[in-house]
């Protein structure tokens, strides 16, 4: 499992602090970039080229760091995400998120199984 780096610990602590202030509040990527400017920022090239925000390295780093936090053995909280942003999940949100992850995994497993079957029937795969 992944070990968190300093930037990821900073993001996790930030999410915990925001949860302590208001357990129902979401944190947007814009707020993360504003509040953690040493960790997440736009490059000069992204600014000069007017790169859409969702395509910037800052946004990619946030998404990657959230996934690393979720996969870390050192973190005992679930980071919930929705179109509203990110937050530490309460019990209802944790159950909702876990159900969503399970359904995505089952869907991919079903597709994998189907494609293995089709591939072996057409001799595309040797099993």
């Amino acid at each position: 499992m992944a070990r968190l780096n300093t930037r990821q610990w900073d993001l996790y602590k930030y999410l915990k602090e925001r949860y302590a202030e208001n357990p129902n509040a979401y944190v947007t990527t814009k707020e993360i970039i504003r509040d953690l400017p040493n960790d997440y920022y736009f490059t000069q090239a992204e600014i000069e080229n007017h790169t859409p925000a969702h395509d910037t390295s800052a946004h990619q780093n946030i998404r990657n760091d959230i996934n690393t936090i979720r996969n870390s053995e050192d973190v005992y909280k679930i980071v919930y995400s929705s179109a509203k942003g990110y937050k530490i999940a309460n019990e209802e949100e944790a159950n909702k998120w876990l159900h969503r992850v399970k359904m995505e995994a089952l869907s991919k497993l079903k597709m994998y199984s189907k494609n293995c079957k089709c591939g072996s029937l057409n001799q595309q795969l040797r099993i």
Side-chain angles (χ1 to χ4, degrees), residues 40-52:
Y40 304 103
Y41 49 86
F42 301 118
T43 66
Q44 190 63 35
E46 290 169 341
I47 294 168
E48 290 171 0
N49 294 323
H50 306 288
T51 305

Side-chain angles (χ1 to χ4, degrees), residues 57-94:
S57 57
H59 282 248
Q60 184 63 45
N61 287 337
I62 291 169
R63 287 188 297 271
N64 290 342
D65 288 351
I66 292 291
N67 284 328
T68 301
I69 291 167
R70 286 177 173 160
N71 286 306
S72 174
E73 295 279 336
D74 299 325
V75 173
Y76 298 102
K77 302 278 186 192
I78 292 175
V79 178
Y80 181 74
S81 59
S82 74
K84 297 176 186 177
Y86 301 103
K87 68 188 293 288
I88 301 295
N90 61 32
E91 185 177 353
E92 179 185 337
E93 292 162 339

Side-chain angles (χ1 to χ4, degrees), residues 80-119:
Y80 181 74
S81 59
S82 74
K84 297 176 186 177
Y86 301 103
K87 68 188 293 288
I88 301 295
N90 61 32
E91 185 177 353
E92 179 185 337
E93 292 162 339
N95 287 327
K96 187 176 177 181
W97 183 81
L98 289 169
H99 177 74
R100 185 175 84 199
V101 169
K102 180 176 86 172
M103 296 313 290
E104 288 172 5
L106 289 172
S107 176
K108 286 185 180 194
L109 185 59
K110 183 178 174 183
M111 179 183 63
Y112 169 81
S113 177
K114 181 248 179 216
N115 283 293
C116 279
K117 183 179 176 181
C118 290

